[in-house]
């Protein structure tokens, strides 16, 4: 495969990095996250991968990070501070911009493609 063309082979992602969100961010549930890093560019400033989370509710903060998400499976409800909740399911896309603060509720185990810059 070309080193300049990177495919997301969703059936053969390999072993994920498994972790739990920091305890101070968890509001409800026993959340387990899995992440598959697919590629990086621009000295790590741009990254892409696949993320999965089990059911639960946690605080979500982007800091200086811009993130594009494409939901592959599952259902999430994302609530920006001071705004109404928005529900996303398979096929939906969204962007979380730098400075985003809110909550992320996984209603059904979710898997998404992400690109961060």
């Amino acid at each position: 495969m070309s080193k300049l063309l990177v495919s997301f082979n969703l059936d053969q992602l390999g072993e994920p990095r498994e972790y739990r969100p920091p305890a101070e961010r968890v509001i409800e549930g026993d959340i387990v996250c899995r992440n598959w890093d697919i590629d990086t560019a621009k000295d790590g400033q741009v990254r892409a991968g696949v993320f999965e989370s089990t059911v639960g509710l946690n605080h979500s903060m982007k800091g200086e990070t811009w993130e594009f998400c494409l939901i592959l499976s599952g259902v999430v409800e994302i609530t920006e501070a001071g705004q109404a909740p928005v529900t996303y399911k398979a096929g939906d896309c969204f962007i979380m911009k730098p400075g985003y603060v809110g909550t992320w509720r996984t209603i059904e185990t979710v898997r998404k493609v992400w690109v961060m810059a």
Side-chain angles (χ1 to χ4, degrees), residues 7 13 17 20 23 30 34 69 80-81 83-85 92 101-103:
S7 297
L13 291 171
R17 176 173 46 89
R20 294 179 188 283
D30 183 21
R34 292 174 187 83
C69 301
E80 183 177 357
Q83 302 296 316
D92 292 337
V101 175
T103 60

Side-chain angles (χ1 to χ4, degrees), residues 15-32:
E15 289 300 312
R17 176 173 46 89
E18 189 170 290
Y19 61 96
R20 294 179 188 283
E24 64 272 12
R25 287 196 181 186
V26 175
I27 300 167
E28 294 174 3
D30 183 21
I31 302 168
V32 177

Side-chain angles (χ1 to χ4, degrees), residues 62-106:
K62 288 287 112 189
E64 293 301 311
T65 303
W66 176 98
E67 180 178 2
F68 166 83
C69 301
L70 166 63
I71 303 294
L72 299 172
S73 61
V75 179
V76 296
E77 180 183 84
I78 299 175
T79 307
E80 183 177 357
Q83 302 296 316
V86 180
T87 301
Y88 296 101
K89 59 188 179 342
D92 292 337
C93 303
F94 58 93
I95 293 171
M96 298 169 82
K97 296 176 92 169
Y100 170 85
V101 175
T103 60
W104 174 289
R105 178 184 299 278
T106 301

Side-chain angles (χ1 to χ4, degrees), residues 3-5 19 21 23 33 45 47 52 58 65-66 68 70 74-75 88 91 102 107-108 110-113:
K3 295 195 185 280
L4 298 177
L5 176 64
Y19 61 96
C33 301
Q45 293 179 37
R47 300 177 293 130
E52 183 178 273
N58 61 283
T65 303
W66 176 98
F68 166 83
L70 166 63
V75 179
Y88 296 101
I107 297 168
E108 295 175 8
V110 69
R111 186 175 275 201
K112 69 176 184 173
V113 168

